[in-house]
Amino acid sequence: MKVSLFITCLADSMFPEVGESVVRILHRLGCKIDFPEAQTCCGQPAYNSGYLRETRDVALTLLDAFEESEYVVTPSGSCAGMIRHAYPDLFAHDPVLSSRVVRLAEKTFEFSQFLVDVLGVTDLGAELHARVTYHPSCHAMRLTGVQEQPEILLKHVKGLVYTELPNKMECCGFGGTFSVKMGDISAAMVTDKVNQVVQTQADILTGTDMGCLMNIQGRLRREGHAIEVMHLAQLLAKGMKL
Amino acid sequence: MSAERSTIKERAKEALKDDYLRGAVKSTTDRLRTNKLASQEALGNWEWWRERGRQIRAHVVANLDYYLSQLAENVRQNGGHIYFCETGHEAVKQVIEIAKRVKARSVVKSKSMVSEELHLNHALEQEGIEAVETDLGEYIIQLAKEGPSHIIAPSIHKNRHQVAELFAETDGKEFIPSDTQTLTAFARAKLREKFMTGEIGVTGCNFAIAETGSVCLFTNEGNGRMVTSLPKVHIAIMGMERILPTVEDLEVMMNLLPRAGTGQKLTSYVSIITGPRKSGEVDGPEEFHLLVVDNGRSEILEDEDFRQVLHCIRCGACLNVCPVYRQIGGHAYGWVYPGPIGAVITPLLNERNDQYQDLPYASSLCAACYEACPVKIPLHDLLVKLRARNVEKGRTSRWEKLSFRMYRHAFRSPKRYRVAIRLASRLQKPFLRHGFIQAQLPILNGWTGARDLRGFSGESFRDRWKTLQNVLEKDKG
Ligand code: SF4
């Protein structure tokens, strides 16, 4: 199967190891991988702030970059959600772009969703002896349809003790520019989230979105907790010794 | 801090310092949403009900003119009076006119969000007419001289001890025990007197039913029934969109509204009132008046982008799941309607008032509100649309505009993007410790005030890609 990677600007510039794990796993599963270098960002920062014209301009880079792709896979539920949920609306006024956008939306998947729903893989043969908890990101859950896929993958990792995060459905307070613009409210939200993560006594916190994980990790560090934070792809790759 | 002129950010900051408030709001909303999930599960097929609810509301709002005139005709036929009030001011004038005509000295009220919107109590008091809220929660906040902080649980921000203190103070007593029984007994005794003497009963209206000309009230305390039957005049006030075509549609809403709001199968009382007392009937008011309030709604109706907010049935479910509301409570939203629905509807109803245009930023856009809404209003999308409207109307700061112009310039070209992240990763070097920025940075202090900031990686994914490809090639071979 041919898979094009959409690495997202955040993972590209701050967490390249996440992209690398995605590549190694997909490669192990026999996918033929390409990385269209013409990609930059899905446009979310501008979109969430209401700068729609700027969003469209940036979104066009993605549209061009993935024109020929068969599948687009991204390690971010929120960027996948942007493409699947917001793009159709953003380009609704333009019939040509609009049909290109719908095609892109239909072939774009969040990483765990792609593994479970498209490839039909649930057991990667990974083994990791650790206590793990998982934060389901809002956009992954509510805009992209990432529901039980990450937990299915985790529960198949040998030796892994899965502990459910209390109140897991509640937002961590990231929200892109929200975390800077409404810093106090966001801080209160992430503080609650960190308390819950700590309660699970997990060694590792995982998720499918580096935005949220970066937010929670930033607070965990500020409070001095030693809990490791890693993207689901990193965790699985580690368990697969890739 | 006065709600006028301050920003949502400032009001939120104040609220965040109030541990009592945050504790009370969190524990009550926790309870409400757990109940909601259980009761929607028990109903079964929740998504089907939700979709029906959405369709009914969309149909009404799209044909509002028709249903309003049908309603008016049937209200009149039942012997009631109906008034269409374009502004809040007109509605208030109408109430006062009726009150003066019947020489009312006191008005008993059962919860109405619209009357809060009109500041009706204040206006009545200025005319020397006493207005008493008879809903326990509303009564509490009236004594405290506050506005509601939740759509269906107006005093959600107060715990029992605070209520006991408030009651004691009102009664000139040192102390009242704070158990629920004592507190409700206190309120009941006080309010009974008021029911007996009130000449006018003012209520809200959960739904008006066009085909029968009735108004329908969902209540839990029985006070609604007293208010609509004891005084000789009943005035119901409704936002002009709160209408349903038929009694069958009401059945759908009866399944959705209480479940979504409190997790009840049905509220303790559902009153359907059709006109004043008929000849031969023993109970009921002699006069029935229905005020249909526009107050900015027809402008929303004309705006395709935002029409959907008029689908709202004011159940409060979006508040209960909103992580922002749960941290800051309702008063921080600065106007009558709090939470996600407030963040959408307040700027729209106060379109010409710049003071409320920052409310749409009080959301992380997590979409929990949409998921909870029994009539599927996409509140998270509407919040983005409101932000876009602010950009369009030039309400955003120069600094913000410039940032997004720069973002667009850099991110629309893969080449410039690459240069930009390289530059950023070089510029951050002096601030970096073990890959994180711990210092407070002026522009980013919203973030760095409470958390460390991950720095840019020295080597981006695209830098690694070539080597990675070679490794994969070898692995294959
Ligand atoms: S927006 Fe939806 S959830 Fe919120 S109060 Fe209105 S109907 Fe209820």
Side-chain angles (χ1 to χ4, degrees):
Chain A
M1 195 169 292
K2 265 167 59 190
V3 175
S4 300
L5 298 171
F6 168 35
I7 289 304
T8 84
C9 58
L10 192 70
D12 180 36
S13 63
M14 290 187 179
F15 305 94
E17 57 281 9
V18 172
E20 202 170 319
S21 303
V22 171
V23 170
R24 289 176 188 275
I25 293 172
L26 290 175
H27 177 74
R28 171 61 59 88
L29 293 172
C31 298
K32 200 169 152 356
I33 305 159
D34 70 317
F35 172 70
E37 293 197 42
Q39 62 180 284
T40 63
C41 167
C42 65
Q44 221 173 148
Y47 177 72
N48 287 354
S49 304
Y51 289 79
L52 303 188
R53 221 170 341 135
E54 287 76 358
T55 313
R56 281 188 204 102
D57 285 347
V58 172
L60 286 175
T61 58
L62 272 204
L63 213 51
D64 289 341
F66 294 107
E67 193 72 59
E68 306 300 332
S69 303
E70 191 180 336
Y71 285 101
V72 179
V73 173
T74 178
S76 160
S78 135
C79 302
M82 179 71 195
I83 296 171
R84 287 161 60 139
H85 176 78
Y87 277 19
D89 212 32
L90 270 168
F91 293 100
H93 61 281
D94 183 324
V96 178
L97 286 176
S98 173
S99 64
R100 288 177 62 198
V101 156
V102 171
R103 241 179 301 135
L104 176 61
E106 280 167 356
K107 65 187 179 191
T108 301
F109 295 87
E110 180 279 326
F111 168 72
S112 70
Q113 195 175 38
F114 183 74
L115 292 193
V116 176
D117 298 353
V118 180
L119 296 182
V121 177
T122 52
D123 189 348
L124 289 161
E127 179 171 351
L128 189 71
H129 294 271
R131 199 176 164 88
V132 175
T133 194
Y134 162 71
H135 166 68
S137 292
C138 304
H139 286 184
M141 215 176 8
R142 302 194 181 102
L143 304 183
T144 317
V146 177
Q147 300 290 344
E148 67 294 333
Q149 298 92 331
E151 277 147 309
I152 292 178
L153 292 167
L154 284 172
K155 285 173 186 164
H156 280 94
V157 175
K158 228 170 108 192
L160 185 147
V161 181
Y162 179 73
T163 55
E164 189 162 304
L165 188 61
N167 208 6
K168 62 176 181 176
M169 307 278 276
E170 195 148 302
C171 177
C172 72
F174 177 54
T177 47
F178 170 79
S179 54
V180 178
K181 225 173 176 153
M182 295 283 160
D184 296 321
I185 306 176
S186 165
M189 286 158 70
V190 73
T191 305
D192 279 359
K193 186 57 82 180
V194 159
N195 286 340
Q196 279 141 5
V197 172
V198 171
Q199 254 182 56
T200 64
Q201 299 183 315
D203 313 306
I204 300 172
L205 165 73
T206 191
T208 58
D209 218 304
M210 283 326 291
C212 318
L213 290 179
M214 175 174 83
N215 181 40
I216 305 171
Q217 183 183 40
R219 181 67 196 170
L220 278 167
R221 278 183 61 104
R222 185 64 60 92
E223 286 187 17
H225 299 290
I227 298 165
E228 218 181 322
V229 177
M230 53 171 92
H231 190 278
L232 181 66
Q234 276 172 290
L235 184 147
L236 294 171
K238 191 171 173 190
M240 292 162 79
K241 310 212 166 30
L242 291 174
Chain B
M1 185 184 306
S2 101
E4 337 263 295
R5 283 194 308 277
S6 61
T7 63
I8 171 81
K9 214 171 149 169
E10 290 160 354
R11 294 191 299 268
K13 205 175 179 129
E14 286 294 303
L16 286 169
K17 286 188 211 148
D18 190 339
D19 288 341
Y20 261 134
L21 170 130
R22 292 173 67 199
V25 170
K26 265 189 210 155
S27 66
T28 312
T29 49
D30 268 345
R31 185 164 44 81
L32 293 175
R33 59 189 195 177
T34 315
N35 292 351
K36 176 197 184 232
L37 291 179
S39 81
Q40 75 185 43
E41 177 104 343
L43 177 68
N45 229 340
W46 180 248
E47 285 309 310
W48 180 86
W49 284 98
R50 245 181 124 206
E51 177 55 25
R52 275 203 69 189
R54 189 195 66 77
Q55 284 171 4
I56 292 170
R57 293 301 297 145
H59 172 76
V60 173
V61 169
N63 299 284
L64 199 55
D65 280 0
Y66 173 80
Y67 288 114
L68 280 171
S69 64
Q70 192 187 7
L71 175 71
E73 198 179 304
N74 289 327
V75 167
R76 288 192 193 109
Q77 223 156 56
N78 297 326
H81 305 270
I82 186 162
Y83 312 84
F84 291 94
C85 311
E86 207 177 306
T87 61
H89 186 68
E90 269 177 46
V92 170
K93 236 177 70 192
Q94 198 57 61
V95 176
I96 288 173
E97 232 173 80
I98 300 169
K100 281 191 168 159
R101 181 170 52 73
V102 301
K103 303 199 173 49
R105 307 259 300 281
S106 127
V107 167
V108 277
K109 293 181 65 197
S110 175
K111 200 172 161 271
S112 155
M113 292 301 285
V114 200
S115 87
E116 296 283 344
E117 201 180 308
L118 315 176
H119 304 293
L120 181 62
N121 292 3
H122 181 70
L124 286 169
E125 264 150 43
Q126 289 208 317
E127 295 291 330
I129 303 165
E130 184 194 34
V132 183
E133 297 292 345
T134 64
D135 228 69
L136 182 58
E138 289 281 335
Y139 179 63
I140 292 167
I141 58 162
Q142 191 180 26
L143 292 181
K145 299 193 175 48
E146 291 172 13
S149 82
H150 189 287
I151 293 181
I152 53 161
S155 61
I156 191 175
H157 57 296
K158 297 210 178 293
N159 61 33
R160 303 187 269 125
H161 308 289
Q162 290 169 312
V163 174
E165 270 171 42
L166 189 65
F167 282 0
E169 204 180 295
T170 319
D171 227 21
K173 290 203 178 106
E174 284 265 309
F175 173 79
I176 287 184
S178 60
D179 60 293
T180 328
Q181 246 170 1
T182 312
L183 295 177
T184 42
F186 176 93
R188 187 180 301 137
K190 291 275 166 205
L191 290 172
R192 287 255 154 108
E193 276 171 46
K194 303 291 178 191
F195 286 127
M196 300 317 287
T197 51
E199 288 101 340
I200 297 183
V202 170
T203 68
C205 161
N206 287 92
F207 300 105
I209 301 161
E211 82 170 344
T212 60
S214 319
V215 295
C216 177
L217 296 171
F218 291 22
T219 57
N220 273 319
E221 295 166 24
N223 61 321
R225 296 207 305 180
M226 308 250 236
V227 167
T228 53
S229 55
L230 288 176
K232 58 181 188 239
V233 178
H234 173 202
I235 304 177
I237 309 179
M238 64 181 264
M240 76 175 203
E241 78 283 10
R242 303 299 296 277
I243 204 167
L244 292 174
T246 66
V247 180
E248 271 106 75
D249 300 317
L250 179 65
E251 192 205 324
V252 177
M253 296 303 158
M254 275 160 74
N255 269 313
L256 288 172
L257 192 146
R259 279 192 167 83
T262 55
Q264 287 171 287
K265 265 197 221 132
L266 195 57
T267 50
S268 312
Y269 302 89
V270 177
S271 319
I272 301 178
I273 299 150
T274 312
R277 179 200 308 180
K278 313 249 170 356
S279 64
E281 285 179 357
V282 211
D283 281 325
E286 292 158 19
E287 293 178 22
F288 171 75
H289 304 268
L290 178 61
L291 270 61
V292 182
V293 180
D294 183 327
N295 208 25
R297 286 165 175 76
S298 47
E299 258 174 78
I300 303 179
L301 187 65
E302 277 159 35
D303 193 331
E304 252 177 71
D305 277 344
F306 297 108
R307 187 173 299 152
Q308 290 181 79
V309 302
L310 297 178
H311 297 182
C312 175
I313 59 172
R314 305 280 191 271
C315 68
C318 56
L319 280 60
N320 299 337
V321 298
C322 176
V324 172
Y325 175 86
R326 279 162 56 81
Q327 295 291 349
I328 64 177
H331 288 157
Y333 289 81
W335 204 55
V336 192
Y337 304 103
I341 181 63
V344 175
I345 210 166
T346 302
L348 288 170
L349 287 177
N350 297 280
E351 158 94 54
R352 273 166 286 274
N353 192 340
D354 273 351
Q355 186 198 322
Y356 297 112
Q357 305 306 331
D358 61 352
L359 282 176
Y361 301 98
S363 165
S364 64
L365 303 176
C366 72
C369 46
Y370 166 64
E371 190 176 64
C373 179
V375 291
K376 301 215 278 199
I377 303 175
L379 292 159
H380 60 305
D381 289 337
L382 299 181
L383 287 163
V384 172
K385 285 194 171 131
L386 279 167
R387 295 177 186 184
R389 200 178 68 149
N390 282 346
V391 172
E392 222 172 86
K393 298 205 163 169
R395 284 186 182 125
T396 52
S397 73
R398 260 182 41 214
W399 159 248
E400 192 182 290
K401 268 182 254 171
L402 181 70
S403 311
F404 283 109
R405 210 172 301 150
M406 281 162 53
Y407 164 81
R408 168 177 174 268
H409 181 73
F411 280 63
R412 74 192 297 202
S413 134
K415 256 196 219 116
R416 286 197 293 266
Y417 160 83
R418 193 176 197 138
V419 174
I421 58 167
R422 279 214 182 124
L423 186 69
S425 90
R426 213 168 308 144
L427 284 176
Q428 69 174 355
K429 279 219 173 101
F431 304 99
L432 226 50
R433 304 268 174 286
H434 309 294
F436 283 83
I437 299 170
Q438 285 152 328
Q440 301 263 358
L441 296 178
I443 316 157
L444 293 171
N445 63 6
W447 178 286
T448 48
R451 54 217 128 175
D452 296 353
L453 180 63
R454 170 73 178 234
F456 290 99
S457 164
E459 198 189 21
S460 67
F461 177 84
R462 61 191 65 216
D463 293 335
R464 293 188 188 188
W465 173 241
K466 283 266 139 52
T467 7
L468 203 53
Q469 252 179 324
N470 292 336
V471 176
L472 299 184
E473 276 306 309
K474 261 200 225 120
D475 188 29
K476 215 191 274 166

